[in-house]
Amino acid sequence: MTRPATRADLSDLPVKVAPRLLGGLLETVVGGERVVVRLTEVEAYHGLGTGEQPDPGSHARMGPTARNATMWGEPGHLYVYLSHGIHSCVNVVCGPEGVAGGVLLRGAEVIEGVEVAERRRRERRGVVRAPRDLARGPGRLGDAVGLRHPVHDGIDAVTGDERAGARVRLLLPWRFWIVGDATVSPFRWGRGAAEAAGS
């Protein structure tokens, strides 16, 4: 079961927000086509003056620029940037507005819209070797969910407002467990929860 992410959920520094995103869902509707992925791998990035130590891998390590402006803005927007001139990568902006931070979405499982994601991947890269590869890696994830730099940079994943023909929602999990661990209890819907989830 999931719930819509709020600004408050994402207002901490990226290193604290990143674990909250694992198991969460990213839902995109681009050009009328819906894809939902379950986030399985993320990576935190802090900007200049953010956190207790410098982050040499961050696009915001040297301060605000035209490229990284979204990272310095309101939490819950997506920083969509171009990597190696071809890959559109997706980050969830975190931290208080004016304090740069983002969590790179590195890998996910496509749970709805598999055919759409596979077609997008084939159109962009030509080959999909296995279902697990559809959104495995940040460039593949960007292709699968249909978000492109620069038109979708800054899209709001909290409100779901449209930008360049796309809408995005970030949904966070309510229950957490270690997959495959024998001590994890079986899932059962609570009273009224199944009905609420279906609404």
Side-chain angles (χ1 to χ4, degrees), residues 53-75:
Q53 60 189 42
D55 185 351
S58 172
H59 289 176
R61 68 187 175 276
M62 303 297 286
T65 66
R67 180 191 191 197
N68 69 29
T70 300
M71 288 184 74
W72 298 85
E74 187 177 43

Side-chain angles (χ1 to χ4, degrees), residues 96-144:
E97 189 168 356
V99 177
V103 176
L104 174 63
L105 306 182
R106 293 195 56 87
E109 175 190 9
V110 180
I111 60 172
E112 292 185 45
V114 172
E115 302 81 7
V116 173
E118 186 171 344
R119 189 192 74 241
R120 287 174 178 161
R121 285 286 323 287
R122 289 188 190 283
E123 288 172 354
R124 301 286 307 163
R125 308 286 170 246
V127 176
V128 178
R129 290 189 170 82
R132 74 175 189 159
D133 291 333
L134 277 177
R136 186 174 173 222
R140 292 172 177 173
L141 189 152
D143 286 344

Side-chain angles (χ1 to χ4, degrees), residues 45-50 55-75 77-82 89 91-94 96-103 149-150 153-154:
Y45 286 95
H46 289 185
L48 179 68
T50 305
D55 185 351
S58 172
H59 289 176
R61 68 187 175 276
M62 303 297 286
T65 66
R67 180 191 191 197
N68 69 29
T70 300
M71 288 184 74
W72 298 85
E74 187 177 43
H77 291 261
L78 300 184
Y79 169 48
V80 182
Y81 71 91
L82 203 59
C89 299
N91 297 254
V92 176
V93 174
C94 317
E97 189 168 356
V99 177
V103 176
H149 169 84
D153 181 37

